[in-house]
Amino acid sequence: QATQQQGPVYMQQPLQAGSHVLMQATQQQGAHNSATDRRVDDSKPPVPMQGAVHMVICGIDYSCDKQSWAGPPPHGHGPLDTWYAFEMMKELALKSKAQYMSLWNEQCTKEGIAQAIQEVAAKCAPEDTFIFYYTGHGDRLPRMDQVDGGEDECLCTVDAN
């Protein structure tokens, strides 16, 4: 998660495997080299990108959902206005010459998203960047590990009940 502050963005959680590009750029720009400090200095020019960019772009407006609260009336609240953001990300991918796979509505099932992530991630080399973009509903569920009683975030896919 990132919190907005005046100036740089600070990552509260450690970056996961595959996000070495941000850490590498941070270190090359002479920002903070601490293992826990992930600030990016926006005042300096960007470090030239290495490798390719691979994206999975998912969008759900729930117009296809006939059962849940998110589907069309009378049972749901009607479709979300997610088409614009979905199309904007596809256009951004094209203009930046990123390789991408897009999923819309019925394609955005748990299995469909997982398969797309696996397929696109398999094409990534160590110096590449992987981006997952989702526009749709999310929710919070009790943590599966029950260690601290906290909550985990989840995506509301069209096959979720």
Side-chain angles (χ1 to χ4, degrees):
Q1 285 180 325
T3 55
Q4 280 300 114
Q5 299 175 349
Q6 293 228 338
V9 174
Y10 178 74
M11 301 302 293
Q12 290 180 326
Q13 297 176 348
L15 296 175
Q16 301 299 316
S19 52
H20 64 279
V21 174
L22 176 61
M23 183 61 176
Q24 189 177 48
T26 302
Q27 289 175 347
Q28 288 177 359
Q29 290 176 356
H32 305 275
N33 289 326
S34 164
T36 59
D37 195 338
R38 303 287 197 261
R39 290 182 227 179
V40 177
D41 185 353
D42 291 333
S43 67
K44 295 184 180 180
V47 175
M49 193 179 97
Q50 298 175 0
V53 175
H54 304 270
M55 299 174 70
V56 173
I57 303 169
C58 299
I60 309 175
D61 72 358
Y62 302 94
S63 61
C64 60
D65 187 358
K66 308 296 186 231
Q67 300 179 43
S68 76
W69 53 269
H75 304 293
H77 299 291
L80 294 177
D81 186 17
T82 54
W83 181 254
Y84 176 78
F86 178 75
E87 288 297 315
M88 178 193 68
M89 286 305 293
K90 289 182 2 184
E91 185 176 331
L92 180 63
L94 286 171
K95 287 184 177 181
S96 62
K97 297 180 177 40
Q99 298 177 25
Y100 75 93
M101 176 183 290
S102 62
L103 305 174
W104 177 252
N105 270 344
E106 290 93 345
Q107 298 170 318
C108 294
T109 62
K110 177 181 176 182
E111 292 77 22
I113 292 172
Q115 182 179 358
I117 290 171
Q118 288 176 342
E119 187 176 325
V120 173
K123 298 174 184 176
C124 292
E127 67 279 357
D128 291 349
T129 300
F130 176 83
I131 298 171
F132 174 76
Y133 178 81
Y134 171 81
T135 180
H137 276 296
D139 204 354
R140 292 177 173 240
L141 298 173
R143 287 184 63 126
M144 299 291 279
D145 59 17
Q146 299 295 323
V147 172
D148 63 3
E151 295 179 314
D152 285 328
E153 290 78 25
C154 66
L155 307 177
C156 295
T157 60
V158 295
D159 58 340
N161 290 323

